[in-house]
Amino acid sequence: MTTYIIRRLVMIIPVLFGVTLITFFAMRVAPGDLAQVQLGEYATEEALAVFREEHGLEDPLPIQYVRWVSDLVQLDLGESYRTNASVRGEIFDRIPVTFQLTAFALVFSLAIAFPAGVISAVRQDTFIDYLARIFAMAGLAIPLFVIASLMITLPAIWFGWTPPIRYTAFTDDPLANVTHFILPAIALGASLAGTTTRMIRSQLLEVMRQDYIRTARAKGLSERPIVAAHALRNAMIPVLTVVGLQLGVLIGGTIIIEQIFSLPGIGRLLWESVDLRDYPMIQGVVVFMCFVYVFVNLCIDIAYAWIDPRIRYS
Amino acid sequence: MYRNYWLRRARSPFSRRRMLQGSAAMGVGAGSLAFVGCGNDDDDDAPANGNGNGNGAPEATRDPGDIERQGIINFAHTADADHLDPHLDTAWTMVVAPHTHAKLLRWSPDISEILPDLAEGLPEMNDDGLEYTFTLRPDLQWPDGSPLTSADIAYSYNRIAGEELGSPHRYKAGPLAGIDTPDDRTVVFRLEEPFVPFVSFAATGWMIILPEGWADDHGDRFQDSMGAGPYMIDQRQSTVSTQYVPNPNYYDGERPFVEGMDFRIIPDASTMDAALISGDIDVIPALTDRGRVDNILNSNPDIEDIEHPSHHWNMFIMNCEEGREPFDDVRVRRAMNLLIDRELYQAIVHSTGGQPSGPVTWGFEQYAIPQDDLVQRPGYRPDKEEDIQEAMDLLSAAGYEDGLQLDCATTTPAAHATYNAGALAIQDQLAEYGIELVLGTTDMAGIQEKRADGNFDCMVYVNGGSQEIDEHIYGPNRTGEARNVNRFSNAELDEMLDRQRVTLDEEERTELIMEIQEKLLEEVPTAWLADPFYHSLVNRRLRGYNPYLVWDRSSEFIDAYIEE
């Protein structure tokens, strides 16, 4: 197992390398003069030249890339062109917000998906199954920005109430903090809940038709332990894979959700930085997000062995 | 004067006819901008605030000793300032910085007069217009208690005027020959030649005064600031929120009338609407979408609608660079001007209604060509048939009888929604006459690059306007100016534009500015479109709010107070 983990960790390096290449050069291909964006359209040629000189923008792109990557391996993500703030510091300031939002969304989606998926499979083709499937389809079909916008505007129009639009840190006011995250988490988690519900249902239906389930029933076991102890655990591996892959969707979704609910997280930071061509910030955030995504999926791979002891990594 | 300026309308539908009736009744002069009033001035449903306006300034007779600061003003914007250095910005710094800073002078909120700010009065000008002497108020202090002196003024102006900084506001300091500071309270500006806009530029929100050496210590495009305005920043998290508290050393001990202000960034427009409806924020300024306005008003009876004009102006810019077809040919430019249906543009892009504008937007009434005159002119005539025939003849004469294709640069961010909505509206109109607008949609960075490189044929563009007429006509039209994004050049016009800057006689200058507009209408480097009536929606708890008429928000909360 240790060898496997080390091997997987080493494999992260070429992935991250690829991400740095794509991010760095894709940003340079995008239209817009960085110096002009930072200094404003009426900036003089002299001021633009000074900015480019100060930030090494006149150097050939490969040199700029090597300079950035060599700083990156020393965990120096540079400074924002826009605010001069440390990129690493800015990411660490914002990560608790995005982490909390993603965690809440994950918890919400699993809290809905597990019972809905299981009941839907166990009570196949009943009213409750149809209800669960409609819910799952709705979660998948309705774009999250629509769900989020409705969550904000409808209560305001109907009841003159909106969820708090001011972010409060958990340490300052836990109740206000949690209140602020409930609706964004629901909006963000709806799609994942739909996907997971459908996945659990289909996997469970397949497992429930296996011989060992029939054997368990023949032994006289009641339905509840059959589902809980035998079927569900075996149905979990594909579900876990989907959850891991959906994490990317969740992280991407934070960009929209943080905009709509005014949450100062990583997603919003990325959005603002792209708009202003803040290269160091964009590159830093993308590499960081990529690392988190790869790392979480590694953790999920490791979790397979815990769920199914037959799986051995060698 | 101020109290009669804002004519509020609430809930009732707006009609163009009523607007024109209101316009016909208006008087001429800067103080008579009340022409936006279209009747139905329903003060009755506004809580009394002592001035009969429902949303005007607090009573001037209040004694400083009676003032008890109470409440927090909550407001928001879709984007934050990248830095807090107004000398190096023309955009979002204006949403954060002006509340903390002071200038030598300031414009009254209705742009009718220039008032003293740090100076104790208007400056003395010598006979040849080459020297302006300002006397500062006595005992001015920065928030940290250090004295604010003439040296700070000289430092700030030298910074703006200095070539090395590359300030986009450099021209506002005029052709500065030098600044003398004979004592702590006296500043003498010496100019190389007369520069008539000097005083009015000194009162605009970008000409803020910094403590001497501030940028040397904190760098250009600084992130923390110290100003001599009514507020100071207590806490700030960039792109999230900024909290203001009263500046204890503000020269006007009476102001501000509140305990503080809470400014938040809410990037999504529908979230901002919801926040206003629920009372989470107190104001959304300058809306031009009737549906949005009505939705908010119908959802919360405690929200008041202030309708007002503005100096912002919508325009269809044509790239006139020599040798660049087709707009290097004045006939094609004239044809565009004739074909555009301004009333239709207005109805599509700004559903709150509005009026067509000439080279100076109708909201800048002192200099704008009167509406009854404007609507007689080619391109503005209500009956478009004659215009269309004339335009087709011009296009044929220019060799475009089979139509033409134009690269129209545009962008889609929410804060610049008019660019794209306007481009789509014009695209639709011109398609009828065989003119295809190919929309090159990009983000703001992309469009800035296109503007800087001149890599476009045309674009719909909205400018934030200014209190000073020079800013409306000089930069956008003078050969070689950075703001002349359509690269228009005309020697005769350049001479006239230069001359208006040195014409000391006000009447003579006004006449010259009208002549300049006639010349511009002849050359049409730009097809000026139509400008809307703006609606600022305010929670009734916020009293004394001043909608901003130009992109200078210094006065927005200067008179504001909270009445729960």
Side-chain angles (χ1 to χ4, degrees):
Chain A
M1 176 67 96
T2 312
T3 316
Y4 173 77
I5 293 170
I6 291 170
R7 201 168 64 229
R8 285 293 302 271
L9 283 172
V10 171
M11 278 172 63
I12 290 178
I13 295 171
V15 172
L16 288 181
F17 175 69
V19 168
T20 60
L21 265 177
I22 293 168
T23 314
F24 183 89
F25 288 101
M27 284 313 300
R28 268 68 181 177
V29 170
D33 177 349
L34 171 65
Q36 194 97 53
V37 174
Q38 300 302 322
L39 301 187
E41 60 183 307
Y42 305 132
T44 60
E45 279 305 320
E46 294 77 20
L48 294 171
V50 168
F51 183 89
R52 291 185 189 115
E53 177 71 31
E54 276 176 3
H55 294 90
L57 298 172
E58 302 285 16
D59 297 336
L61 285 184
I63 291 178
Q64 291 185 44
Y65 175 73
V66 169
R67 193 165 50 220
W68 173 56
V69 170
S70 58
D71 287 343
L72 183 66
V73 296
Q74 299 170 64
L75 298 182
D76 177 4
L77 301 183
E79 290 180 347
S80 161
Y81 286 162
R82 190 167 62 95
T83 62
N84 297 326
S86 150
V87 171
R88 194 176 56 189
E90 195 77 18
I91 289 174
F92 285 149
D93 281 351
R94 305 268 192 141
I95 195 64
V97 177
T98 303
F99 177 76
Q100 190 178 355
L101 174 61
T102 314
F104 274 38
L106 198 60
V107 168
F108 162 76
S109 62
L110 296 181
I112 296 290
F114 265 90
V118 170
I119 293 170
S120 187
V122 172
R123 304 269 182 268
Q124 190 185 3
D125 295 333
T126 62
F127 172 73
I128 200 160
D129 177 31
Y130 292 132
L131 200 67
R133 284 157 71 182
I134 289 170
F135 156 77
M137 285 305 293
L140 280 167
I142 304 174
L144 67 90
F145 71 86
V146 173
I147 299 176
S149 294
L150 292 177
M151 280 177 166
I152 287 267
T153 50
L154 292 183
I157 291 169
W158 290 338
F159 313 117
W161 176 87
T162 53
I165 298 168
R166 150 178 294 291
Y167 170 71
T168 311
F170 187 82
T171 46
D172 292 343
D173 186 345
L175 187 63
N177 171 275
V178 171
T179 313
H180 194 177
F181 276 94
I182 288 173
L183 288 185
I186 292 172
L188 184 60
S191 168
L192 180 58
T195 311
T196 316
T197 302
R198 285 174 62 83
M199 200 68 195
I200 290 173
R201 181 182 180 275
S202 64
Q203 287 302 311
L204 210 51
L205 282 174
E206 196 179 318
V207 170
M208 294 290 277
R209 292 189 184 105
Q210 298 290 319
D211 289 346
Y212 65 89
I213 298 292
R214 193 179 303 123
T215 305
R217 283 189 179 126
K219 281 198 305 182
L221 277 180
S222 64
E223 200 65 12
R224 186 173 300 218
I226 288 173
V227 173
H230 297 280
L232 197 56
R233 190 160 181 178
N234 282 297
M236 271 306 94
I237 287 182
V239 173
L240 209 58
T241 307
V242 167
V243 170
L245 294 173
Q246 285 286 313
L247 187 76
V249 178
L250 279 189
I251 293 173
T254 61
I255 297 174
I256 305 289
I257 292 293
E258 287 174 2
Q259 290 284 316
I260 294 175
F261 287 92
S262 293
L263 286 164
I266 291 278
R268 192 164 145 194
L269 180 64
L270 182 60
W271 175 285
E272 290 154 355
S273 305
V274 169
D275 215 25
L276 294 159
R277 299 287 189 275
D278 193 348
Y279 293 165
M281 193 63 84
I282 298 165
Q283 293 160 185
V285 171
V286 171
V287 169
F288 179 77
M289 280 181 162
C290 177
F291 176 77
V292 169
Y293 182 73
V294 174
F295 184 76
V296 168
N297 275 281
L298 169 64
C299 294
I300 285 172
D301 284 354
I302 294 165
Y304 290 161
W306 173 71
I307 292 171
D308 186 348
R310 290 171 301 177
I311 296 173
R312 289 285 177 271
Y313 297 105
S314 59
Chain B
M1 175 166 48
Y2 171 79
R3 289 166 196 170
N4 292 328
Y5 179 68
W6 305 111
L7 291 180
R8 296 168 306 105
R9 296 176 65 249
R11 316 300 152 83
S12 65
F14 169 75
S15 79
R16 189 168 181 275
R17 181 186 299 274
R18 280 165 57 195
M19 180 62 216
L20 291 171
Q21 285 168 350
S23 304
M26 70 186 179
V28 177
S32 62
L33 285 173
F35 71 103
V36 290
C38 359
N40 196 23
D41 195 12
D42 54 348
D43 281 349
D44 293 348
D45 59 2
N49 70 350
N51 63 17
N53 180 299
N55 209 297
E59 286 294 271
T61 52
R62 290 166 90 174
D63 292 330
D66 294 341
I67 297 298
E68 190 184 331
R69 288 177 177 146
Q70 59 176 14
I72 301 286
I73 297 171
N74 299 295
F75 66 112
H77 193 255
T78 51
D80 200 5
D82 301 338
H83 54 78
L84 300 178
D85 187 351
H87 294 171
L88 281 175
D89 186 45
T90 56
W92 302 143
T93 307
M94 191 43 77
V95 299
V96 184
H99 314 299
T100 59
H101 288 285
K103 293 96 57 184
L104 278 171
L105 304 166
R106 70 180 177 94
W107 276 97
S108 63
D110 61 351
I111 317 185
S112 63
E113 58 182 323
I114 297 173
L115 305 170
D117 201 10
L118 294 177
E120 64 179 5
L122 292 177
E124 285 175 23
M125 183 184 74
N126 73 349
D127 290 343
D128 54 11
L130 293 176
E131 267 188 26
Y132 290 90
T133 305
F134 289 85
T135 304
L136 300 182
R137 292 172 190 268
D139 304 323
L140 288 171
Q141 287 184 332
W142 294 104
D144 65 0
S146 56
L148 191 162
T149 67
S150 54
D152 298 312
I153 312 292
Y155 167 76
S156 302
Y157 267 76
N158 281 325
R159 181 171 188 259
I160 296 168
E163 203 171 330
E164 63 279 11
L165 184 69
S167 169
H169 306 289
R170 191 174 166 216
Y171 62 94
K172 290 179 180 144
L176 206 55
I179 304 174
D180 299 328
T181 53
D183 61 56
D184 280 354
R185 288 184 55 206
T186 308
V187 194
V188 182
F189 292 91
R190 287 181 285 104
L191 306 181
E192 288 169 356
E193 59 181 42
F195 185 64
V196 176
F198 183 80
V199 174
S200 83
F201 274 144
T204 59
W206 303 101
M207 304 299 277
I208 56 122
I209 303 303
L210 293 173
E212 187 179 9
W214 181 265
D216 305 333
D217 300 337
H218 295 79
D220 293 333
R221 302 160 78 229
F222 40 81
Q223 293 293 329
D224 46 355
S225 73
M226 184 164 76
Y231 294 94
M232 53 188 209
I233 291 176
D234 184 33
Q235 288 182 51
R236 173 170 164 80
Q237 186 183 1
S238 177
T239 74
V240 178
S241 65
T242 304
Q243 283 77 44
Y244 300 87
V245 292
N247 170 6
N249 294 328
Y250 185 47
Y251 65 79
D252 180 351
E254 199 173 342
R255 286 180 168 82
F257 302 123
V258 293
E259 291 170 287
M261 298 201 298
D262 184 7
F263 169 61
R264 272 174 283 166
I265 302 302
I266 301 181
D268 184 67
S270 59
T271 308
M272 198 176 308
D273 292 357
L276 179 67
I277 291 167
S278 66
D280 207 29
I281 58 172
D282 292 315
V283 58
I284 298 181
L287 296 179
T288 64
D289 178 342
R290 183 82 251 171
R292 196 175 162 196
V293 169
D294 286 345
N295 277 342
I296 294 171
L297 293 175
N298 290 333
S299 302
N300 187 342
D302 285 332
I303 293 168
E304 193 170 18
D305 179 7
I306 307 174
E307 185 181 85
H308 57 92
S310 153
H311 289 198
H312 312 322
W313 79 103
N314 290 243
M315 48 195 155
F316 179 70
I317 286 178
M318 294 170 271
N319 192 337
C320 312
E321 189 171 12
E322 203 177 326
R324 184 177 175 114
E325 292 180 351
F327 291 130
D328 61 342
D329 186 336
V330 69
R331 292 171 297 186
V332 185
R333 301 200 299 265
R334 283 182 189 149
M336 295 298 121
N337 188 50
L338 288 160
L339 289 174
I340 290 170
D341 185 334
R342 288 165 172 83
E343 195 168 350
L344 190 57
Y345 171 88
Q346 180 62 70
I348 293 170
V349 180
H350 299 295
S351 51
T352 49
Q355 297 190 122
S357 287
V360 174
T361 176
W362 64 264
F364 203 163
E365 194 206 10
Q366 188 181 353
Y367 297 105
I369 296 172
Q371 284 290 305
D372 53 357
D373 179 352
L374 194 65
V375 295
Q376 309 293 325
R377 291 164 185 263
Y380 293 87
R381 294 174 284 216
D383 181 2
K384 289 298 288 180
E385 268 182 40
E386 198 181 339
D387 282 349
I388 292 166
Q389 187 53 53
E390 207 176 309
M392 299 318 283
D393 292 346
L394 283 166
L395 285 175
S396 291
Y400 295 107
E401 60 276 9
D402 297 328
L404 70 160
Q405 196 181 62
L406 300 167
D407 171 20
C408 180
T410 186
T411 188
T412 51
H416 299 285
T418 306
Y419 287 33
N420 203 45
L424 286 167
I426 301 286
Q427 182 189 44
D428 201 40
Q429 289 185 22
L430 295 182
E432 221 176 300
Y433 312 108
I435 300 165
E436 187 190 355
L437 251 63
V438 180
L439 302 189
T441 308
T442 176
D443 61 0
M444 275 313 289
I447 208 164
Q448 278 186 7
E449 188 178 45
K450 284 186 178 187
R451 275 204 295 246
D453 296 345
N455 185 21
F456 66 96
D457 289 326
C458 55
M459 70 170 74
V460 172
Y461 184 53
V462 182
N463 197 301
S466 168
Q467 299 97 331
E468 167 52 44
I469 186 64
D470 181 83
E471 203 157 7
H472 285 247
I473 55 171
Y474 191 91
N477 300 303
R478 176 71 167 79
T479 304
E481 284 293 303
R483 294 177 60 221
N484 183 351
V485 289
N486 40 356
R487 292 159 161 74
F488 174 66
S489 179
N490 181 290
E492 190 187 342
L493 191 70
D494 286 350
E495 185 279 324
M496 293 163 85
L497 288 166
D498 290 341
R499 190 147 46 91
Q500 62 83 25
R501 282 189 160 183
V502 297
T503 304
L504 295 171
D505 183 90
E506 201 177 325
E507 208 171 304
E508 198 183 325
R509 185 179 181 231
T510 303
E511 273 175 30
L512 184 53
I513 286 161
M514 300 312 282
E515 281 174 38
I516 288 169
Q517 289 187 72
E518 296 295 340
K519 184 72 183 165
L520 284 169
L521 283 173
E522 202 180 298
E523 291 290 330
V524 278
T526 294
W528 297 276
L529 299 169
D531 296 308
F533 307 121
Y534 289 84
H535 289 252
S536 292
L537 304 184
V538 185
N539 192 310
R540 289 186 200 279
R541 73 189 278 276
L542 175 64
R543 319 304 301 169
Y545 172 74
N546 299 317
Y548 57 90
L549 307 192
V550 299
W551 191 235
D552 175 353
R553 300 180 73 162
S554 322
S555 299
E556 198 175 3
F557 299 109
I558 193 81
D559 300 320
Y561 63 103
I562 298 293
E563 194 173 79
E564 295 291 355

